Amino acid sequence: VAEGPDIEDDYHNFEALNFAPDHPERDMQDTFFIEHKDKVLLRTHTSPVQVRLMKSMKPPIRAIMPGRVYRNESITARALAEFHQMEGLYINKNVSFAELKGTVIAFAQQMYGHDINYRFRASYFPFTEPSAEMDITCFLCKGKGCRVCKYSGWLEVVGCGMVHPNVLTECGIDPEEYSGYAFGFGIERV
């Protein structure tokens, strides 16, 4: 279990995680900046903890990173400006996407029950490639559709993917020798 600071710098929160300089999340309307010119901010995810781990440890790396995160968002039934994430990271030789899927399915079944239906959808995150999101049947309406699931019957519960080779390289890990996966669950969505 690893933790990190809530107040972050641009390098750990964005740059080391392969965010483009003009990525929308770096804008004032999406991120709470404490000192904009010095690029000091409230972290938008717990992924900066992953950067620190990969820079300070040699693979294999297995870690869970719980923590509070902050995003300048409108408060709704599905989104808060301050919430909690539980991220996971696994780096080793020959890590596969199939292992990632098995891990997040097992985690989701522990959180939501073994009788859930789930699906994976292709997605995009700058720090993983390929990337996916996993949805589960809405536990409130059991898939019939309600306000919380936006009448779709599904809730997105985890973003995940294989750690991008650029991130591994930035953290001093050879992507020709090692691979890995990362995932992030939103705790309040339980």
Side-chain angles (χ1 to χ4, degrees):
V1 176
E3 295 181 351
D6 287 13
I7 298 174
E8 267 300 351
D9 57 45
D10 180 84
Y11 175 78
H12 288 92
N13 200 82
F14 296 124
E15 189 174 328
L17 292 164
N18 204 38
F19 280 81
D22 60 347
H23 192 281
E25 198 169 315
R26 288 182 168 195
D27 292 339
M28 293 280 296
Q29 65 266 21
D30 292 327
T31 300
F32 290 113
F33 283 93
I34 296 169
E35 295 176 19
H36 195 264
K37 76 175 179 76
D38 295 329
K39 298 184 179 180
V40 177
L41 54 116
L42 293 176
R43 67 181 176 191
T44 60
H45 45 196
T46 52
S47 300
V49 180
Q50 293 183 30
V51 171
R52 286 186 166 82
L53 285 175
M54 287 187 282
K55 284 181 161 289
S56 67
M57 298 176 70
K58 292 182 179 182
I61 301 169
R62 293 178 187 91
I64 296 289
M65 285 83 33
R68 186 176 308 148
V69 298
Y70 312 86
R71 293 188 190 156
N72 195 2
E73 296 185 1
S74 299
I75 296 173
T76 69
R78 295 176 44 95
L80 298 170
E82 176 186 338
F83 56 99
H84 298 82
Q85 284 185 334
M86 172 71 75
E87 290 196 19
L89 175 69
Y90 176 48
I91 307 287
N92 207 345
K93 294 181 180 179
N94 304 312
V95 176
S96 72
F97 196 80
E99 290 174 281
L100 166 61
K101 286 176 73 175
T103 299
V104 297
I105 289 167
F107 196 96
Q109 287 175 333
Q110 288 297 311
M111 295 282 287
Y112 302 105
H114 289 275
D115 61 341
I116 61 166
N117 292 319
Y118 56 86
R119 67 182 184 187
F120 285 86
R121 292 178 291 108
S123 190
Y124 170 76
F125 303 107
F127 37 87
T128 56
E129 180 59 39
S131 303
E133 291 179 305
M134 187 176 89
D135 302 329
I136 63 166
T137 305
C138 180
F139 51 84
L140 292 175
C141 68
K142 305 297 184 210
K144 293 178 182 148
C146 67
R147 199 176 107 229
V148 171
C149 66
K150 297 181 182 176
Y151 302 97
S152 71
W154 295 96
L155 290 172
E156 180 263 314
V157 292
V158 63
C160 59
M162 300 301 291
V163 178
H164 198 293
N166 292 350
V167 174
L168 293 172
T169 300
E170 182 66 32
C171 293
I173 297 172
D174 183 355
E176 297 294 323
E177 185 175 359
Y178 293 100
S179 57
Y181 61 74
F183 59 84
F185 280 88
I187 300 302
E188 279 79 5
R189 293 209 176 159
V190 174

